[in-house]
């Protein structure tokens, strides 16, 4: 079986991380020609095109496999130095994680605080898309809605995040005009996270509408989304853990009593024997068990 030259694999990773061949050359302290030759040699060895020569450079599907391998190799190397009691890189141990905005705003950060001596690089992405970052080798672990493991990864169930259809009482009085919310939502202003957010549309379809209303406020942070709903800009699906205190104080009201949406979340990470990843996984699953519904 053909071996993968470590130097060439690391060069491929540098090109992807730095975005250009010239920047990778500067990071590796070699010439751009040397970088180009290493990548070309790796492509010839694998028989695959590994990079899209765009600006910035992006890996192809085959290239993403080798980028993921390169990151795993670097992780194992750092762990080996750590187990030897040596500082192999002169840098703190860094772990990259993809996490959805609502988890990040509610229960996820307390999990990270339980893990010492790690630096975290968080990538915020919708839970339906975090697994793609894992597949591309951009992160080592992810909170995702997908129970299907990315190749080379292990999966643990975390629990269910419950969302409630809520709005400010003033919004209900002014915009729904006394009509049942289940009938009026299709024409009412709605708050969405971003253009990929179809959560509110899915709920409206469950009530028999084609979609949520066309009058949409796009607010791309979890905290800002909640503030927009509380301010009366529109209705929206808000995590139960965020909505609960505001419902108790009368600042929000549930539009359709008894209705909710549950999203199952999973923890996916590289299938590596890594003390850093193992400690993080234990902290995340323990915190999720307290914060999410089973």
């Amino acid at each position: 079986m053909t071996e993968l030259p470590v130097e060439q694999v690391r060069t491929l990773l540098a090109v992807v991380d730095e975005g250009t061949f010239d920047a990778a050359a500067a990071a590796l302290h070699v010439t751009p020609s040397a970088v180009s030759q290493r990548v070309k040699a790796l492509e010839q060895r694998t028989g695959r095109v590994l990079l899209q020569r765009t600006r910035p450079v992006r890996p192809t599907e085959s290239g993403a496999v080798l980028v993921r391998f390169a990151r795993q190799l670097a992780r194992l190397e750092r762990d080996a130095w750590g187990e030897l009691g040596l500082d192999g890189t002169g840098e703190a141990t860094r772990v990259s994680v993809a996490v959805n905005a609502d988890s990040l705003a509610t229960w996820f950060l307390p999990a990270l605080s339980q893990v010492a001596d790690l630096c975290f690089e968080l990538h915020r992405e919708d839970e339906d898309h975090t697994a793609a970052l894992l597949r591309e080798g951009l992160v080592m672990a992810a909170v995702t809605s997908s129970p299907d493991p990315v190749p080379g990864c292990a999966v643990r169930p975390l629990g269910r995040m419950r969302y409630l259809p809520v709005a400010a009482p003033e919004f209900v009085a002014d915009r729904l005009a006394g009509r049942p919310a289940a009938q009026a939502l299709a024409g009412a202003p709605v708050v969405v996270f971003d253009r990929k957010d179809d959560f509110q549309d899915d709920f409206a379809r469950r009530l028999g509408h084609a979609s949520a209303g066309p009058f949409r406020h796009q607010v791309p942070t979890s905290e800002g989304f909640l503030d927009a709903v509380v301010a009366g800009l529109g209705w929206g699906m808000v995590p139960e853990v965020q909505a609960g205190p505001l419902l108790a104080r009368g600042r929000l009201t549930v539009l359709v009593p008894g209705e909710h949406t549950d999203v199952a979340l999973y923890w996916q990470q590289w299938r590596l024997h890594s003390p850093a990843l193992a400690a993080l996984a234990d902290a995340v699953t323990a915190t999720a068990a307290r914060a999410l519904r089973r």
Side-chain angles (χ1 to χ4, degrees), residues 79-193:
D79 287 343
W81 280 111
E83 290 182 22
L84 290 171
L86 302 172
D87 187 355
T89 64
E91 299 179 357
T93 299
R94 183 174 298 275
V95 177
S96 55
V97 183
V99 58
N100 61 307
D102 290 334
S103 292
L104 186 60
T106 54
W107 64 271
F108 191 73
L109 290 180
L112 303 189
S113 68
Q114 300 175 37
V115 186
D117 302 323
L118 291 181
C119 286
F120 298 104
E121 179 183 307
L122 301 183
H123 298 251
R124 192 200 69 194
E125 183 56 271
D126 183 86
E127 62 271 15
D128 292 336
H129 301 277
T130 50
L133 300 184
L134 195 60
R135 188 174 296 106
E136 293 170 8
L138 297 177
V139 297
M140 305 174 187
V143 175
T144 175
S145 60
S146 174
D148 300 321
V150 170
C153 293
V155 181
R156 296 191 193 184
L158 293 176
R160 295 178 291 116
M161 179 170 277
R162 175 160 294 182
Y163 290 79
L164 303 176
V166 296
E170 299 80 9
F171 175 87
V172 174
D174 294 344
R175 296 288 188 168
L176 303 189
R179 292 180 295 163
Q183 299 176 11
L185 285 188
V190 62
V191 181
V192 298
F193 190 84

Side-chain angles (χ1 to χ4, degrees), residues 64-88:
V65 173
L66 294 187
V67 166
R68 186 168 67 244
F69 168 71
R71 293 195 198 282
Q72 292 173 345
L73 187 65
R75 172 77 270 154
L76 288 172
E77 185 176 52
R78 285 192 292 268
D79 287 343
W81 280 111
E83 290 182 22
L84 290 171
L86 302 172
D87 187 355

Side-chain angles (χ1 to χ4, degrees), residues 202-228:
D202 287 343
F203 183 77
R205 283 191 284 269
R206 282 172 49 192
L207 299 179
H209 303 297
S211 66
F215 195 95
R216 298 174 178 234
H217 301 288
Q218 186 172 309
V219 185
T221 70
S222 184
E223 298 86 350
F225 185 103
L226 176 63
D227 290 343

Side-chain angles (χ1 to χ4, degrees), residues 259-276:
E259 287 288 344
H260 59 265
T261 298
D262 285 351
V263 175
L265 296 177
Y266 301 86
W267 177 252
Q268 292 207 34
Q269 69 174 57
W270 291 346
R271 197 184 295 275
L272 290 181
H273 176 64
S274 167

Side-chain angles (χ1 to χ4, degrees), residues 241-292:
V241 66
Q242 288 180 314
L246 296 168
L247 290 168
R249 298 203 301 268
R251 298 188 63 192
L252 287 178
T253 184
V254 176
L255 295 178
V256 187
E259 287 288 344
H260 59 265
T261 298
D262 285 351
V263 175
L265 296 177
Y266 301 86
W267 177 252
Q268 292 207 34
Q269 69 174 57
W270 291 346
R271 197 184 295 275
L272 290 181
H273 176 64
S274 167
L277 284 177
L280 177 58
D282 289 343
V284 167
T285 52
T287 303
R290 295 189 294 269
L292 303 178

